Amino acid sequence: KEVTPKGLGAAGIILPSTTELTYTVHFQNTGNAPAINVYILDTLDFNIIPESIEILGRSHTMTPSWVAPGVLKFSFNNINLADSFSNEPASHGFVTYKVKLVNNISLGTQVSNTAYIYFDFNAPIITNTVLNTLDILSSTSIQSVNANLSVYPNPAKEELFIHINNLKNNATSY
């Protein structure tokens, strides 16, 4: 599972002015026979406006539906997805969609998403969880992404300092 914008660091820091997130769920049939039907269950975070969903792309014919409030089902019926042993390139699929965030989310709010992928009647494959955290970028958040770089002050008015800690030549500032 991927999210755009990815954000900075493990917390996926994004600016409070971010209004939309784009998610892509990738899947692959690693079984030993074609998958006739594949479906994805995706529960949206409560900081997302469910009615705002816009499908941006898909690998195969797919039907989206709501199975509960905030729970999307992407049905790839009769997909006949090849298994990776007999045809690796044809064993992949995906769906990409965009959603809007609710207004006035407070700083520090985390928006996470995980999907469950079902191949025929098998137990679900659980994707990684993607995370975004609304925050103002500061020198400490940038340092957590790259301990060798700091930018300050943030916000800046007239001067901005970039400090790069070069391991060979100690520290350099610009």
Side-chain angles (χ1 to χ4, degrees):
K1 181 136 202 185
E2 296 177 76
V3 63
T4 304
K6 183 178 180 180
L8 292 175
I13 296 171
I14 57 175
L15 294 173
S17 59
T18 304
T19 59
E20 297 178 336
L21 296 175
T22 300
Y23 292 110
T24 300
V25 181
H26 300 274
F27 56 91
Q28 180 181 21
N29 179 7
T30 59
N32 55 12
I36 306 303
N37 298 302
V38 175
Y39 71 90
I40 300 167
L41 285 182
D42 198 338
T43 303
L44 300 178
D45 191 280
F46 64 92
N47 290 297
I48 290 175
I49 302 169
E51 304 79 31
S52 69
I53 185 168
E54 180 183 343
I55 307 295
L56 300 177
R58 61 194 177 0
S59 57
H60 300 79
T61 301
M62 179 270 311
T63 305
S65 61
W66 295 102
V67 295
V71 181
L72 276 166
K73 182 178 184 180
F74 300 101
S75 299
F76 293 84
N77 293 325
N78 297 310
I79 188 173
N80 292 312
L81 189 66
D83 64 88
S84 59
F85 297 108
S86 63
N87 188 344
E88 200 283 333
S91 67
H92 298 266
F94 74 92
V95 63
T96 301
Y97 65 94
K98 177 171 62 172
V99 290
K100 294 184 186 297
L101 294 171
V102 298
N103 292 327
N104 301 318
I105 298 176
S106 60
L107 289 179
T109 298
Q110 294 185 331
V111 179
S112 63
N113 191 276
T114 305
Y116 296 77
I117 306 166
Y118 295 81
F119 293 88
D120 294 323
F121 299 105
N122 295 307
I125 304 297
I126 304 169
T127 69
N128 58 301
T129 299
V130 291
L131 175 66
N132 289 110
T133 305
L134 277 78
D135 205 350
I136 295 174
L137 299 177
S138 65
S139 64
T140 55
S141 64
I142 292 172
Q143 285 177 12
S144 70
V145 174
N146 182 350
N148 295 325
L149 171 72
S150 60
V151 179
Y152 56 91
N154 189 1
K157 290 186 180 188
E158 293 180 16
E159 286 186 318
L160 177 69
F161 296 95
I162 301 171
H163 180 84
I164 301 170
N165 186 15
N166 183 328
L167 298 177
K168 291 182 182 175
N169 300 324
N170 296 324
T172 306
S173 292
Y174 300 96

